[in-house]
């Protein structure tokens, strides 16, 4: 593979909790101006507040969604982002310096791993198998949620017993032999391929592994790729569909959106995360209005605060105890343009916006995955439901 100009690979350590300082600059050669803003990669996952699981169904007619919004993405100018990402490889999006935490699966006490994730401000870590001399998976917040959900109310196993498990023990117990191969990508593959892999496999983190050395260079996310597009997209013509509203384009999730009342216990939110495989829940008050957002990332703070033995406190109370102070949930409206929504997500460095009406009643979710699907895959003729 031809060596591309850019950053050197970050140092990777097999550790309980060590890592190197994280900065998120893009390679100098790619920057459109000298005073470019550096991205803060400690991802501020979204927002606040809280009760028992509730879902609602929103029909197209309620949003006034017109027929055939896909046609907006089939014009020649709509393909500009698709071609742009096809012309740039994953190495181009690797930062000059970043924090990377790697765990050996033989690490004693899985709770150490989750505490290390919090301490280092990262959400996932590649797992190294010393026997196989290869990376075999990822340890993520989802694993922590699954452990809490599975054992919190178990009459046979106490949660503190699970804390003492090795990572490999947890993998063997939970996966029960159904190990899926690690999904990863080469630095020479295009960023279009990265978007395709993220959405096809319904994952949020994609390790970039150098094929010769086998080292992990970086972990690509939807947010990183959208930031790349947002910074360097100013050098290419903007497609006309950016001036269309999210309502006209039907970009987002509008049906069967899961929400949680602010008085619901945390355990109820965990049940929704596991059963519905969603990554965040709009929090509603007694009037049904959106007052916050409870995300998977909020759950990991239970590990830092060592409060995961009490999952019966309300979501509202859990958000009040959050160590990272976040402002109110970020929202958007059906009449706002796609361009405005992308700018807001990129500026605030969040993963989604809650779509609300003028009374702040929830009407849907617009996520990074929805946006990348619309910008990159739909113009390529790749429908999300066909993946």
């Amino acid at each position: 593979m031809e060596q591309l100009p850019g950053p050197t690979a970050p140092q990777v350590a097999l550790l309980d909790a060590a890592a190197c300082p994280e900065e998120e600059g893009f390679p100098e050669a790619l920057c459109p101006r000298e005073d470019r803003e550096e991205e803060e990669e400690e991802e501020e996952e979204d927002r606040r507040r809280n009760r028992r699981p509730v879902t609602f169904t929103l029909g197209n007619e309620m949003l006034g969604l017109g027929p055939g919004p896909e046609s907006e993405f089939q014009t020649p100018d709509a393909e500009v982002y698709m071609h742009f990402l096809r012309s740039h490889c994953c190495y181009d999006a690797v930062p000059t310096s970043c924090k990377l935490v790697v765990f050996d699966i033989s690490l004693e006490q899985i709770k150490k791993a989750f505490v290390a994730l919090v301490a280092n401000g990262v959400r996932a870590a590649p797992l190294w198998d010393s026997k196989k001399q290869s990376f075999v998976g990822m340890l993520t917040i989802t694993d922590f949620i699954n452990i809490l959900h599975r054992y919190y109310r178990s009459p046979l196993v106490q949660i503190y017993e699970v804390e003492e498990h090795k990572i490999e023990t947890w993998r063997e117990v939970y996966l029960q032999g159904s190990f899926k191969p690690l999904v990863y990508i080469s630095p020479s593959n295009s960023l279009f391929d990265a978007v395709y892999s993220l959405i096809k496999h319904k994952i949020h983190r994609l390790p970039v592994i150098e094929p010769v050395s086998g080292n992990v260079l970086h972990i690509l996310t939807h947010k990183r790729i959208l930031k790349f597009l947002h910074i360097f997209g100013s050098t290419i013509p903007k497609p006309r569909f950016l001036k269309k509203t999210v309502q006209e384009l039907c970009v987002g999730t509008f049906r069967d959106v899961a929400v949680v009342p602010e008085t619901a216990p945390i355990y109820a939110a965990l049940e929704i995360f596991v059963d519905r495989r969603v990554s965040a829940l709009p929090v509603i008050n007694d009037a049904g209005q959106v007052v916050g957002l409870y995300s998977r990332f909020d759950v990991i703070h239970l590990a830092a605060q060592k409060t995961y033995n009490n999952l019966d406190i309300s979501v509202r109370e859990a958000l009040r105890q959050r160590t990272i102070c976040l402002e109110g949930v970020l929202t958007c409206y059906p009449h706002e343009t796609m361009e405005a929504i992308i700018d807001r997500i990129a500026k605030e460095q969040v993963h989604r916006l809650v779509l609300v009406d003028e009374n702040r009643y929830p009407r849907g979710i617009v996520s990074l995955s929805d946006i990348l699907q619309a910008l990159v895959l739909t113009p390529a003729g790749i429908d999300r439901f066909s993946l």
Side-chain angles (χ1 to χ4, degrees):
M1 179 186 73
E2 181 182 356
Q3 183 66 34
L4 299 168
T8 57
Q11 295 296 314
V12 179
L14 299 176
L15 37 69
D16 280 26
C20 41
E22 175 180 19
E23 293 182 35
E24 294 255 313
F26 288 96
E28 193 74 39
L30 286 174
C31 292
R33 62 181 191 273
E34 291 182 0
D35 61 341
R36 73 188 186 283
E37 297 179 359
E38 292 204 349
E39 176 187 11
E40 287 180 0
E41 171 108 328
E42 193 175 276
E43 307 173 319
E44 308 170 69
E45 179 83 62
D46 312 300
R47 297 331 203 225
R48 321 189 296 263
R49 302 15 138 175
N50 333 67
R51 163 177 138 202
R52 190 84 284 242
V54 173
T55 62
F56 64 86
T57 299
L58 180 67
N60 283 353
E61 68 284 358
M62 294 178 66
L63 268 182
L65 299 172
E70 298 85 1
S71 61
E72 299 288 347
F73 301 103
Q74 303 304 323
T75 57
D77 74 308
E79 299 177 353
V80 61
Y81 294 128
M82 174 192 73
H83 293 307
F84 181 77
L85 291 189
R86 276 181 167 160
S87 66
H88 288 83
C89 64
C90 293
Y91 200 86
D92 293 336
V94 174
T96 52
S97 175
C98 69
K99 179 179 291 184
L100 187 62
V101 177
V102 174
F103 297 119
D104 193 299
I105 61 171
S106 62
L107 173 68
E108 298 280 355
Q109 297 185 334
I110 194 170
K111 68 176 179 181
K112 289 183 178 179
F114 294 119
V115 170
L117 291 181
V118 175
N120 287 279
V122 296
R123 305 183 178 208
L127 296 176
W128 175 261
D129 188 327
S130 298
K131 296 176 183 177
K132 296 181 179 178
Q133 286 293 294
S134 64
F135 291 99
V136 294
M138 297 281 289
L139 187 73
T140 69
I141 296 171
T142 299
D143 291 298
F144 184 59
I145 291 172
N146 286 333
I147 288 175
L148 294 181
H149 180 257
R150 185 171 184 138
Y151 294 110
Y152 179 65
R153 291 181 175 169
S154 170
L156 301 177
V157 181
Q158 296 298 314
I159 192 72
Y160 66 84
E161 297 177 34
V162 182
E163 292 176 346
E164 306 302 316
H165 283 176
K166 292 182 179 180
I167 293 177
E168 61 182 339
T169 303
W170 161 247
R171 282 167 55 82
E172 290 169 358
V173 170
Y174 181 69
L175 299 177
Q176 296 181 343
S178 60
F179 294 100
K180 294 182 180 179
L182 174 65
V183 179
Y184 64 92
I185 198 165
S186 166
S188 60
N189 284 124
S190 73
L191 286 170
F192 177 90
D193 294 333
V195 172
Y196 181 83
S197 292
L198 284 166
I199 294 179
K200 176 182 179 180
H201 296 287
K202 295 181 175 62
I203 56 178
H204 294 92
R205 278 152 186 80
L206 183 64
V208 180
I209 298 182
E210 210 288 316
V212 177
S213 67
N215 290 334
V216 176
L217 303 183
H218 187 55
I219 298 176
L220 275 179
T221 63
H222 299 87
K223 194 172 85 169
R224 183 70 183 177
I225 295 173
L226 187 67
K227 185 73 172 180
F228 185 90
L229 263 180
H230 196 249
I231 291 177
F232 305 114
S234 60
T235 63
I236 57 178
K238 292 183 178 180
R240 285 172 292 178
F241 67 72
L242 288 184
K243 299 299 182 183
K244 297 283 188 178
T245 68
V246 65
Q247 175 174 320
E248 293 172 316
L249 297 175
C250 198
V251 172
T253 300
F254 309 108
R255 290 181 177 275
D256 201 23
V257 177
V259 300
V260 63
E262 59 183 349
T263 54
I266 294 176
Y267 188 80
L270 298 187
E271 287 184 315
I272 303 175
F273 286 142
V274 172
D275 295 340
R276 298 288 301 277
R277 299 187 66 185
V278 295
S279 56
L281 296 168
V283 180
I284 58 173
N285 59 19
D286 289 338
Q289 298 167 309
V290 175
V291 294
L293 195 74
Y294 191 70
S295 71
R296 285 176 178 265
F297 191 58
D298 290 311
V299 178
I300 199 67
H301 290 296
L302 298 175
Q305 299 163 349
K306 298 181 174 60
T307 56
Y308 47 84
N309 283 324
N310 182 14
L311 301 183
D312 295 315
I313 65 171
S314 70
V315 178
R316 176 202 292 143
E317 182 61 28
L319 290 168
R320 285 176 180 166
Q321 297 175 4
R322 195 159 41 186
T323 55
I324 295 179
C325 180
L326 298 175
E327 296 180 359
V329 58
L330 290 181
T331 59
C332 62
Y333 297 92
H335 59 76
E336 291 191 88
T337 66
M338 184 76 164
E339 184 174 26
I341 287 175
I342 292 173
D343 287 344
R344 187 174 309 145
I345 282 185
K347 177 183 177 181
E348 300 294 338
Q349 297 195 39
V350 294
H351 293 81
R352 64 196 62 78
L353 299 177
V354 179
L355 190 73
V356 297
D357 61 19
E358 63 276 8
N359 296 314
R360 292 191 67 83
Y361 292 118
R363 290 293 177 258
I365 298 282
V366 180
S367 69
L368 288 174
S369 178
D370 296 324
I371 290 174
L372 287 176
Q373 170 69 44
L375 296 185
V376 181
L377 297 189
T378 301
I382 302 173
D383 181 82
R384 164 173 262 163
F385 302 104
S386 66
L387 292 175

